Amino acid sequence: MTHTMKAVVLTRFGGPDAFELREVPVPAVGPRQVRVRVHATSINPLDYQIRRGDYPDHVQLPAIIGHDISGVIEELGSDVREFAVGDEVYYTPKIFGDAGSYAEQHVADVDLVARKPRNIDHLEAASLTLVGGTVWEALETRAQLTAQETVLIHGGAGGVGTVAIQFARAMGARVITTARPGNHEFVRSLGADEVIDHTSDDYVSAVADLTHGKGVDVIFDTIGGDTLTRSALALADAGRLVSIVDIAQPQNLIEAWGKNAVYHFVFTRQNRGKLDGLTNLVERGLIKPVIGAVLPLARVGEAQELLEGGGARGLRGKVSIDVAGQTVKLPAP
């Protein structure tokens, strides 16, 4: 007998109405896989980029997309020893190679799966897996940010920025971030030492003022465009820049050469190690997820629209999806 589940299926590339709630078969579990009852997922820019057709060669329609899962293991493959049925876990499904998280159940390779932090709920845990893994890879693995260094985080109030500020602070770094005026107090509450108003201040001259002309050791770019082109001007000598945004058009990075700068471009790879590191920080109270909105599974299209409108709508942090329930929480107008 084939078991079925509810899933939100991307039927075509297009607007938020391209999704359809359907009954689909639950996949079989391989020897080194687990079947997870999905309690929550969350929305990432990658989700609406896929939906609008930015990656047509990587996504075969109809598709179940989505890149964050927090839930409970219901079935183990024959060769799985690391976990037990009933364990709470969180993880990012394999990107561009597997069914995603917009569904009631998910079958995952066990090596991707990590124990969920005990001190946060499923909605919070699901907001962390892709973002947290990305921040870990960017600041720990690539930039190798250390105590006493200064980091500039572009876009501090966003889904990635809110975690990056807390992570950098946990590393003992001095944190400078950019945010609109209404979010300055908020990003300071997360651990930012200095905030630049990106609506009126030029971040390059602001950084020069804040660092007495030295520049910052590390820049974390979550925005792309101008923030990437001109960031070299804000870097200290031998500084490092990490960008998680793809470059739509060629950029002249000549200023980086004179600084002996190192550039890293990160499309995060999934593994349990990064999540275990993240769980440790969460359980020590050093990182607390920020959720700006919650919607049920049937309203995924609306949730994506909310993230796309993002900062303009006063959204802070992540948009989460309550897969197992009907929670609705929208940003205060």
Side-chain angles (χ1 to χ4, degrees), residues 224-249:
D226 165 72
T227 58
L228 184 62
T229 315
R230 297 183 63 242
S231 275
L233 300 168
L235 273 179
D237 195 55
R240 296 91 77 196
L241 177 139
V242 187
S243 179
I244 58 168
V245 188
D246 55 4
I247 303 178
Q249 57 276 328

Side-chain angles (χ1 to χ4, degrees), residues 16 47 75 108 115 138 145 153 161 178 197 241 285 309 311-312 317:
D47 301 15
E75 186 184 348
R115 180 178 66 74
L145 180 68
I153 295 165
T178 62
D197 175 4
L241 177 139

Side-chain angles (χ1 to χ4, degrees), residues 78-100:
S78 54
D79 295 348
V80 174
R81 303 284 176 270
E82 300 94 315
F83 294 101
V85 169
D87 283 355
E88 294 191 332
V89 293
Y90 73 149
Y91 60 97
T92 290
K94 190 174 171 200
I95 298 173
F96 297 144
D98 212 349

Side-chain angles (χ1 to χ4, degrees), residues 155-288:
V160 180
T162 50
V163 175
I165 290 170
Q166 296 178 76
F167 186 92
R169 187 187 191 180
M171 297 300 111
R174 179 190 182 202
V175 181
I176 303 173
T177 192
T178 62
R180 63 182 64 231
N183 284 331
H184 284 203
E185 209 175 308
F186 168 63
V187 294
R188 283 184 190 279
S189 76
L190 297 174
D193 296 292
E194 314 283 354
V195 192
I196 298 167
D197 175 4
H198 67 71
T199 61
S200 70
D201 293 342
D202 171 57
Y203 73 85
V204 174
S205 55
V207 163
D209 291 345
L210 290 168
T211 62
H212 308 295
K214 177 177 173 282
V216 295
D217 303 294
V218 173
I219 292 179
F220 185 33
D221 168 35
T222 69
I223 296 171
D226 165 72
T227 58
L228 184 62
T229 315
R230 297 183 63 242
S231 275
L233 300 168
L235 273 179
D237 195 55
R240 296 91 77 196
L241 177 139
V242 187
S243 179
I244 58 168
V245 188
D246 55 4
I247 303 178
Q249 57 276 328
Q251 300 217 11
N252 181 354
L253 303 177
I254 187 71
E255 277 88 4
W257 178 72
K259 295 280 179 82
N260 277 297
V262 177
Y263 276 57
H264 297 275
F265 297 93
V266 170
F267 183 88
T268 187
R269 304 279 190 267
Q270 278 53 65
N271 63 52
R272 183 183 304 142
K274 281 186 288 205
L275 289 173
D276 284 345
L278 198 62
T279 294
N280 179 27
L281 292 175
V282 172
E283 291 186 340
R284 285 164 57 200
L286 295 170
I287 290 181
K288 174 83 173 145

